[in-house]
Amino acid sequence: MYLIAPSILSADFSRLAEAVILAEKGGADMVHLDVMDGHFVPNITFGHQLVASLREKTRLPINVHLMVDNPDKMIPLFLEAGADWLSFHIEASHHVHRDLQTIKEAGRKAGLALNPATPIELLSEVLDELDFVIIMTVNPGWGGQKFIPATRNKIQRLSQWLAEKKLPALIAVDGGIKLDNLAALFELGMNIAICGSSVYSADDPISVMKKMKAIANEFNQKIARTK
Ligand code: DX5
Ligand code: ZN
């Protein structure tokens, strides 16, 4: 499965509902919302109230990426706000298994995000609990950074590991994705492309998303043919 998830972090913060509507028009599969608390990462973005209001504006699934310390305190708020996919950082949680269960018990998709320097091996005891993993390919906290090449190897190894264990977790990749590296990342094993500045800083975000979606569809057709 190959999906496009635009991140509204690079959109105009005074017009976020419009950014979500643009994602719908561009054929996005879900919209990615980055929650930053000023502690786990230096920036502050928004909280659960914004997720709840955007939830009313779109039928697209909302994928919330918590870049916060003590995610256990915030997870219930974001579940209540209507996050369909909810991830937190493995580096930030003291009780990873319990926090994942809280998300799964609410019937939502549970994910873990990993910073560029965090080894995928840390996932070993919870790999079968996960609906998705976010491999950060930039250091979290800002949009518009350059893709860190060394992270390619993590995507590839995680993809092989999941295949060997026949586990269903999807691999989301977050940071520095553009039209020109999208296909290569799908090739490595990425399932969900999280794209911020390449979409929302473009002159025509809808056209960029449509091009990205076309590339994702080529990959989807390729697997449909091999089945
Ligand atoms: C960064 C966020 C990303 C961000 C990616 O900390 O997690 O979701 O929006 O932005 P780009 O695509 O511009 O690297
Ligand atoms: Zn993100």
Side-chain angles (χ1 to χ4, degrees):
M1 199 196 294
Y2 300 96
L3 306 169
I4 303 295
S7 159
I8 61 166
L9 183 65
S10 293
D12 178 345
F13 265 34
S14 68
R15 298 159 68 195
L16 290 178
E18 285 168 50
V20 167
I21 311 270
L22 281 185
E24 270 187 27
K25 291 191 178 149
D29 297 287
M30 64 183 79
V31 58
H32 181 85
L33 305 192
D34 290 298
V35 176
M36 303 185 188
D37 66 350
H39 295 278
F40 182 71
V41 289
N43 276 332
I44 297 177
T45 52
F46 44 74
H48 62 286
Q49 296 97 332
L50 184 92
V51 174
S53 8
L54 292 180
R55 178 61 295 165
E56 290 172 11
K57 305 283 181 211
T58 179
R59 266 186 271 162
L60 284 181
I62 291 186
N63 178 318
V64 175
H65 176 189
L66 295 179
M67 280 163 273
V68 303
D69 278 341
N70 303 314
D72 56 312
K73 296 206 172 68
M74 300 220 186
I75 286 168
L77 299 174
F78 285 91
L79 291 172
E80 176 75 18
D84 303 281
W85 299 58
L86 185 54
S87 65
F88 56 92
H89 272 261
I90 195 164
E91 305 87 356
S93 167
H94 295 295
H95 299 286
V96 171
H97 185 272
R98 191 175 70 195
D99 292 345
L100 289 172
Q101 293 315 308
T102 308
I103 302 172
K104 286 164 66 118
E105 278 162 17
R108 315 297 168 77
K109 304 262 189 221
L112 277 174
L114 270 63
N115 283 337
T118 303
I120 57 164
E121 285 71 19
L122 280 194
L123 297 169
S124 64
E125 307 312 316
V126 287
L127 203 55
D128 54 353
E129 302 284 339
L130 295 170
D131 295 302
F132 67 111
V133 177
I134 297 185
I135 300 283
M136 292 300 306
T137 43
V138 297
N139 283 297
W142 296 269
Q145 301 179 81
K146 260 181 83 174
F147 185 95
I148 300 171
T151 57
R152 282 200 192 97
N153 182 266
K154 288 171 70 178
I155 302 169
Q156 203 168 19
R157 280 190 296 123
L158 179 58
S159 173
Q160 280 161 3
W161 192 15
L162 290 167
E164 278 161 24
K165 298 194 96 183
K166 295 191 171 39
L167 289 172
L170 297 177
I171 302 179
V173 175
D174 193 358
I177 303 183
K178 301 183 187 331
L179 266 170
D180 63 8
N181 60 2
L182 183 66
L185 291 167
F186 280 141
E187 208 69 69
L188 281 184
M190 169 179 75
N191 302 109
I192 305 175
I194 299 168
C195 314
S197 53
S198 55
V199 168
Y200 287 105
S201 302
D203 292 336
D204 185 352
I206 294 183
S207 129
V208 175
M209 282 186 274
K210 284 190 172 160
K211 285 180 190 153
M212 288 178 159
K213 189 63 195 164
I215 296 172
N217 281 342
E218 275 171 34
F219 278 85
N220 282 319
Q221 283 154 13
K222 231 187 269 175
I223 32 171
R225 279 197 295 274
T226 53
K227 268 188 185 159

Coordinates of all heavy atoms in Angstrom, one line a residue, residues 65-127:
H65 N 0.9 13.4 14.7 CA 2.3 13.0 15.0 C 2.7 13.8 16.3 O 2.9 15.1 16.2 CB 3.2 13.4 13.8 CG 4.7 13.2 14.1 ND1 5.6 13.6 13.1 CD2 5.4 12.6 15.1 CE1 6.8 13.3 13.6 NE2 6.7 12.7 14.7
L66 N 2.7 13.2 17.4 CA 3.0 13.9 18.7 C 4.5 14.0 18.9 O 5.2 13.0 19.1 CB 2.4 13.1 19.9 CG 0.9 13.0 20.0 CD1 0.5 12.2 21.2 CD2 0.2 14.3 20.0
M67 N 5.0 15.2 18.8 CA 6.4 15.4 19.2 C 6.4 16.1 20.5 O 6.6 17.3 20.6 CB 7.1 16.3 18.1 CG 7.5 15.5 16.8 SD 7.8 16.6 15.5 CE 6.1 16.7 14.8
V68 N 6.1 15.3 21.5 CA 5.9 15.9 22.9 C 6.6 15.0 23.9 O 6.7 13.8 23.7 CB 4.4 16.0 23.2 CG1 3.7 16.9 22.2 CG2 3.7 14.6 23.3
D69 N 7.0 15.6 25.0 CA 7.4 14.8 26.2 C 6.1 14.3 26.9 O 5.0 14.8 26.7 CB 8.1 15.7 27.2 CG 9.6 15.9 26.8 OD1 10.1 15.1 26.0 OD2 10.2 16.9 27.3
N70 N 6.3 13.2 27.6 CA 5.2 12.6 28.4 C 3.9 12.4 27.5 O 2.8 12.9 27.8 CB 4.8 13.4 29.6 CG 6.0 13.6 30.5 OD1 6.7 12.7 30.8 ND2 6.2 14.9 30.9
P71 N 4.0 11.7 26.4 CA 2.9 11.5 25.5 C 1.7 10.9 26.2 O 0.5 11.1 25.8 CB 3.4 10.6 24.4 CG 4.7 10.0 24.9 CD 5.2 11.0 25.9
D72 N 1.9 10.1 27.3 CA 0.8 9.4 27.9 C -0.3 10.4 28.4 O -1.5 10.1 28.4 CB 1.3 8.6 29.1 CG 2.1 9.4 30.1 OD1 3.0 10.2 29.7 OD2 1.8 9.3 31.3
K73 N 0.2 11.7 28.8 CA -0.8 12.7 29.2 C -1.6 13.2 28.1 O -2.7 13.8 28.3 CB 0.0 13.8 29.9 CG 0.7 13.4 31.1 CD 0.9 14.6 32.1 CE 1.5 14.1 33.4 NZ 2.9 13.7 33.3
M74 N -1.1 13.2 26.9 CA -1.8 13.9 25.8 C -2.6 12.9 24.9 O -3.5 13.3 24.2 CB -0.7 14.5 24.9 CG 0.0 15.6 25.6 SD 0.3 17.0 24.6 CE 1.3 17.9 25.7
I75 N -2.2 11.6 24.9 CA -2.8 10.7 24.0 C -4.4 10.7 24.2 O -5.1 10.8 23.2 CB -2.2 9.3 24.2 CG1 -0.8 9.2 23.5 CG2 -3.1 8.1 23.6 CD1 0.0 8.0 23.9
P76 N -4.9 10.6 25.4 CA -6.3 10.6 25.5 C -7.0 11.8 24.9 O -8.1 11.7 24.3 CB -6.6 10.5 27.1 CG -5.3 9.9 27.6 CD -4.2 10.5 26.7
L77 N -6.4 13.0 25.1 CA -6.9 14.2 24.5 C -7.0 14.2 23.0 O -8.0 14.6 22.4 CB -6.1 15.4 24.9 CG -5.9 15.8 26.4 CD1 -4.9 16.9 26.6 CD2 -7.2 16.1 27.0
F78 N -6.0 13.6 22.3 CA -6.0 13.5 20.9 C -6.9 12.4 20.4 O -7.5 12.5 19.3 CB -4.6 13.4 20.3 CG -3.9 14.7 20.4 CD1 -3.1 15.0 21.6 CD2 -4.0 15.6 19.4 CE1 -2.5 16.3 21.7 CE2 -3.3 16.9 19.5 CZ -2.6 17.2 20.6
L79 N -7.1 11.4 21.2 CA -8.1 10.4 20.8 C -9.5 11.0 20.9 O -10.3 10.8 19.9 CB -8.0 9.2 21.8 CG -6.7 8.3 21.7 CD1 -6.7 7.3 22.8 CD2 -6.7 7.6 20.3
E80 N -9.8 11.7 21.9 CA -11.0 12.4 22.1 C -11.3 13.4 20.9 O -12.4 13.5 20.4 CB -11.0 13.1 23.4 CG -12.2 14.0 23.8 CD -13.4 13.1 24.2 OE1 -13.2 11.9 24.5 OE2 -14.5 13.7 24.2
A81 N -10.2 14.0 20.5 CA -10.3 15.1 19.4 C -10.6 14.4 18.1 O -10.9 15.1 17.1 CB -9.0 15.9 19.4
G82 N -10.4 13.1 18.0 CA -10.8 12.4 16.7 C -9.6 12.0 15.8 O -9.8 11.8 14.6
A83 N -8.4 12.0 16.4 CA -7.2 11.5 15.6 C -7.5 10.0 15.1 O -7.8 9.2 16.0 CB -5.9 11.5 16.4
D84 N -7.3 9.8 13.9 CA -7.6 8.4 13.3 C -6.3 7.6 13.4 O -6.4 6.4 13.6 CB -8.1 8.5 11.9 CG -9.3 9.4 11.7 OD1 -10.4 8.9 12.0 OD2 -9.2 10.6 11.4
W85 N -5.2 8.2 13.1 CA -3.9 7.6 13.3 C -3.2 8.4 14.3 O -3.1 9.7 14.2 CB -3.1 7.7 12.0 CG -3.7 7.0 10.8 CD1 -4.9 7.2 10.2 CD2 -3.1 6.0 10.0 NE1 -5.1 6.4 9.1 CE2 -4.0 5.6 8.9 CE3 -1.9 5.3 10.0 CZ2 -3.7 4.7 8.0 CZ3 -1.6 4.4 9.0 CH2 -2.5 4.0 8.0
L86 N -2.5 7.8 15.3 CA -1.9 8.6 16.4 C -0.5 7.9 16.7 O -0.4 6.7 17.0 CB -2.8 8.6 17.6 CG -2.3 9.5 18.8 CD1 -2.1 10.9 18.4 CD2 -3.4 9.4 19.9
S87 N 0.5 8.8 16.6 CA 1.9 8.3 16.9 C 2.5 9.2 17.9 O 2.2 10.4 18.0 CB 2.7 8.2 15.6 OG 2.9 9.5 15.1
F88 N 3.5 8.6 18.6 CA 4.3 9.4 19.6 C 5.7 8.9 19.4 O 6.0 7.8 18.7 CB 3.8 9.2 21.0 CG 3.7 7.7 21.5 CD1 4.8 7.2 22.1 CD2 2.6 7.0 21.2 CE1 4.7 5.8 22.5 CE2 2.5 5.6 21.6 CZ 3.6 5.1 22.3
H89 N 6.7 9.6 20.0 CA 8.1 9.2 19.8 C 8.5 8.2 20.9 O 8.2 8.4 22.0 CB 9.0 10.5 19.9 CG 9.1 11.1 18.6 ND1 10.3 10.9 17.8 CD2 8.3 11.9 17.8 CE1 10.1 11.6 16.7 NE2 8.9 12.2 16.7
I90 N 9.2 7.2 20.4 CA 9.7 6.1 21.3 C 10.6 6.7 22.3 O 10.7 6.3 23.4 CB 10.3 4.9 20.5 CG1 10.5 3.7 21.4 CG2 11.6 5.3 19.8 CD1 10.7 2.4 20.6
E91 N 11.4 7.8 21.9 CA 12.3 8.4 22.8 C 11.7 9.2 23.9 O 12.3 9.5 24.9 CB 13.2 9.4 22.0 CG 13.9 8.9 20.8 CD 13.1 8.9 19.5 OE1 11.9 9.3 19.6 OE2 13.6 8.6 18.4
A92 N 10.3 9.5 23.8 CA 9.7 10.4 24.7 C 8.8 9.6 25.7 O 8.4 10.2 26.7 CB 8.8 11.4 24.0
S93 N 8.6 8.3 25.5 CA 7.6 7.6 26.3 C 8.3 6.7 27.3 O 9.3 6.0 27.0 CB 6.7 6.7 25.4 OG 6.0 5.8 26.2
H94 N 7.8 6.7 28.5 CA 8.4 5.8 29.6 C 7.7 4.4 29.5 O 8.2 3.5 30.0 CB 8.2 6.4 31.0 CG 9.0 7.6 31.2 ND1 10.3 7.7 31.2 CD2 8.6 8.9 31.4 CE1 10.7 8.9 31.4 NE2 9.7 9.7 31.5
H95 N 6.5 4.4 28.9 CA 5.7 3.2 28.9 C 5.1 3.0 27.5 O 3.9 3.2 27.3 CB 4.5 3.3 29.9 CG 5.1 3.5 31.3 ND1 5.6 2.4 32.0 CD2 5.2 4.5 32.1 CE1 6.0 2.8 33.2 NE2 5.8 4.1 33.3
V96 N 6.0 2.6 26.6 CA 5.7 2.5 25.2 C 4.5 1.5 25.0 O 3.5 1.8 24.3 CB 6.9 2.1 24.4 CG1 6.6 1.7 23.0 CG2 8.0 3.2 24.4
H97 N 4.6 0.3 25.6 CA 3.6 -0.7 25.4 C 2.2 -0.2 25.8 O 1.2 -0.3 25.1 CB 3.9 -2.0 26.1 CG 3.0 -3.1 25.8 ND1 1.9 -3.3 26.6 CD2 3.0 -4.0 24.9 CE1 1.2 -4.3 26.1 NE2 1.8 -4.8 25.0
R98 N 2.2 0.4 27.0 CA 0.9 0.9 27.6 C 0.3 2.0 26.7 O -0.9 2.1 26.5 CB 1.2 1.4 29.0 CG -0.1 1.7 29.8 CD 0.2 2.1 31.2 NE 0.8 3.4 31.3 CZ 1.4 3.9 32.3 NH1 1.5 3.1 33.4 NH2 2.0 5.1 32.4
D99 N 1.2 2.9 26.3 CA 0.7 4.0 25.4 C 0.1 3.5 24.1 O -0.9 4.0 23.6 CB 1.8 5.1 25.2 CG 2.2 5.8 26.5 OD1 1.4 5.7 27.5 OD2 3.3 6.4 26.5
L100 N 0.8 2.5 23.6 CA 0.2 1.9 22.3 C -1.1 1.3 22.6 O -2.1 1.4 21.8 CB 1.2 0.9 21.7 CG 2.5 1.4 21.1 CD1 3.4 0.3 20.8 CD2 2.2 2.2 19.9
Q101 N -1.2 0.6 23.7 CA -2.5 0.0 24.0 C -3.6 1.0 24.2 O -4.8 0.7 23.7 CB -2.4 -0.9 25.3 CG -1.5 -2.1 25.3 CD -1.7 -2.9 24.0 OE1 -2.8 -3.3 23.7 NE2 -0.6 -3.1 23.3
T102 N -3.3 2.1 24.8 CA -4.4 3.2 24.9 C -4.9 3.6 23.6 O -6.1 3.7 23.4 CB -3.8 4.4 25.6 OG1 -3.1 4.0 26.8 CG2 -4.8 5.5 25.9
I103 N -4.0 3.7 22.6 CA -4.5 4.1 21.2 C -5.3 2.9 20.6 O -6.4 3.1 20.0 CB -3.3 4.4 20.3 CG1 -2.5 5.6 21.0 CG2 -3.7 4.8 18.9 CD1 -1.2 5.9 20.3
K104 N -4.8 1.7 20.7 CA -5.4 0.6 20.1 C -6.8 0.3 20.7 O -7.7 -0.1 20.0 CB -4.5 -0.7 20.1 CG -3.3 -0.6 19.2 CD -2.3 -1.5 19.5 CE -2.8 -2.9 19.3 NZ -2.0 -3.7 18.3
E105 N -6.9 0.4 22.0 CA -8.2 0.2 22.7 C -9.2 1.2 22.2 O -10.4 0.9 22.3 CB -8.0 0.2 24.2 CG -7.5 -1.1 24.7 CD -6.9 -1.0 26.1 OE1 -7.2 0.0 26.8 OE2 -6.1 -1.9 26.5
A106 N -8.8 2.3 21.7 CA -9.8 3.3 21.2 C -10.2 3.0 19.8 O -10.9 3.7 19.1 CB -9.2 4.7 21.3
G107 N -9.6 1.9 19.2 CA -9.9 1.5 17.8 C -9.2 2.4 16.8 O -9.6 2.4 15.6
R108 N -8.1 3.1 17.2 CA -7.4 3.9 16.2 C -6.1 3.2 15.8 O -5.6 2.3 16.4 CB -7.0 5.3 16.8 CG -8.2 6.0 17.6 CD -9.4 6.3 16.7 NE -10.5 6.6 17.5 CZ -10.7 7.8 18.1 NH1 -9.8 8.7 18.0 NH2 -11.7 8.0 18.9
K109 N -5.4 3.8 14.7 CA -4.2 3.2 14.3 C -3.0 3.7 15.2 O -2.9 5.0 15.3 CB -3.9 3.6 12.8 CG -5.0 3.3 11.9 CD -4.7 2.0 11.2 CE -5.7 1.8 10.1 NZ -6.1 0.3 10.0
A110 N -2.2 2.8 15.7 CA -1.2 3.2 16.7 C 0.2 3.1 16.0 O 0.5 2.2 15.3 CB -1.2 2.3 17.8
G111 N 1.0 4.2 16.2 CA 2.3 4.3 15.6 C 3.3 4.8 16.5 O 3.1 5.5 17.5
L112 N 4.6 4.4 16.2 CA 5.7 5.0 16.9 C 6.6 5.7 15.9 O 6.8 5.3 14.8 CB 6.6 3.8 17.5 CG 6.1 3.3 18.9 CD1 6.9 2.1 19.3 CD2 6.2 4.4 19.9
A113 N 7.1 6.9 16.4 CA 8.0 7.7 15.5 C 9.4 7.5 16.1 O 9.6 7.4 17.3 CB 7.6 9.1 15.5
L114 N 10.4 7.5 15.2 CA 11.8 7.3 15.6 C 12.7 8.5 15.0 O 12.6 8.7 13.8 CB 12.4 6.0 15.0 CG 12.3 4.7 15.8 CD1 10.8 4.3 16.0 CD2 13.0 3.6 15.0
N115 N 13.4 9.1 15.8 CA 14.3 10.1 15.4 C 15.4 9.5 14.5 O 15.7 8.3 14.6 CB 15.0 10.8 16.6 CG 14.1 11.8 17.3 OD1 13.2 12.3 16.7 ND2 14.4 12.1 18.6
P116 N 16.1 10.4 13.7 CA 17.1 9.8 12.8 C 18.2 8.9 13.5 O 18.6 7.9 12.9 CB 17.8 11.1 12.2 CG 16.7 12.1 12.2 CD 15.9 11.8 13.5
A117 N 18.6 9.3 14.7 CA 19.7 8.5 15.4 C 19.2 7.4 16.2 O 20.0 6.6 16.8 CB 20.5 9.5 16.3
T118 N 17.9 7.1 16.2 CA 17.3 6.1 17.0 C 17.2 4.8 16.2 O 16.6 4.7 15.1 CB 15.9 6.4 17.5 OG1 16.0 7.6 18.2 CG2 15.3 5.3 18.4
P119 N 17.9 3.7 16.7 CA 17.9 2.5 15.9 C 16.5 1.8 15.8 O 15.8 1.8 16.8 CB 18.9 1.6 16.6 CG 19.0 2.1 18.0 CD 18.7 3.6 17.9
I120 N 16.2 1.2 14.7 CA 14.9 0.5 14.5 C 14.8 -0.7 15.4 O 13.7 -1.1 15.8 CB 14.7 0.1 13.0 CG1 15.8 -0.9 12.6 CG2 14.5 1.2 12.1 CD1 15.4 -1.6 11.3
E121 N 16.0 -1.2 15.9 CA 16.0 -2.4 16.7 C 15.2 -2.1 18.1 O 14.8 -3.1 18.7 CB 17.4 -2.8 17.0 CG 18.1 -3.5 15.9 CD 18.5 -2.6 14.7 OE1 18.6 -1.4 14.9 OE2 18.7 -3.1 13.6
L122 N 15.1 -0.9 18.5 CA 14.4 -0.5 19.7 C 12.9 -1.0 19.6 O 12.2 -1.0 20.6 CB 14.4 1.0 20.0 CG 15.6 1.6 20.6 CD1 15.3 3.0 21.1 CD2 16.1 0.7 21.8
L123 N 12.4 -1.2 18.3 CA 11.0 -1.6 18.1 C 10.7 -3.0 18.4 O 9.6 -3.5 18.4 CB 10.6 -1.3 16.7 CG 10.7 0.2 16.2 CD1 10.5 0.2 14.7 CD2 9.6 1.0 16.9
S124 N 11.8 -3.8 18.7 CA 11.6 -5.3 18.6 C 10.5 -5.9 19.5 O 9.8 -6.7 19.0 CB 13.0 -6.0 18.9 OG 13.3 -5.7 20.2
E125 N 10.4 -5.3 20.7 CA 9.4 -6.0 21.6 C 7.9 -5.5 21.3 O 7.0 -6.0 21.9 CB 9.7 -5.7 23.0 CG 11.1 -6.1 23.4 CD 11.5 -7.5 22.9 OE1 10.7 -8.4 23.1 OE2 12.6 -7.7 22.4
V126 N 7.8 -4.5 20.4 CA 6.4 -4.0 20.2 C 6.0 -4.1 18.7 O 5.0 -3.6 18.3 CB 6.1 -2.6 20.7 CG1 6.0 -2.6 22.2 CG2 7.2 -1.6 20.2
L127 N 6.9 -4.6 17.9 CA 6.7 -4.5 16.4 C 5.4 -5.1 16.0 O 4.7 -4.6 15.1 CB 7.9 -5.3 15.7 CG 8.2 -4.9 14.3 CD1 8.5 -3.4 14.1 CD2 9.4 -5.7 13.8

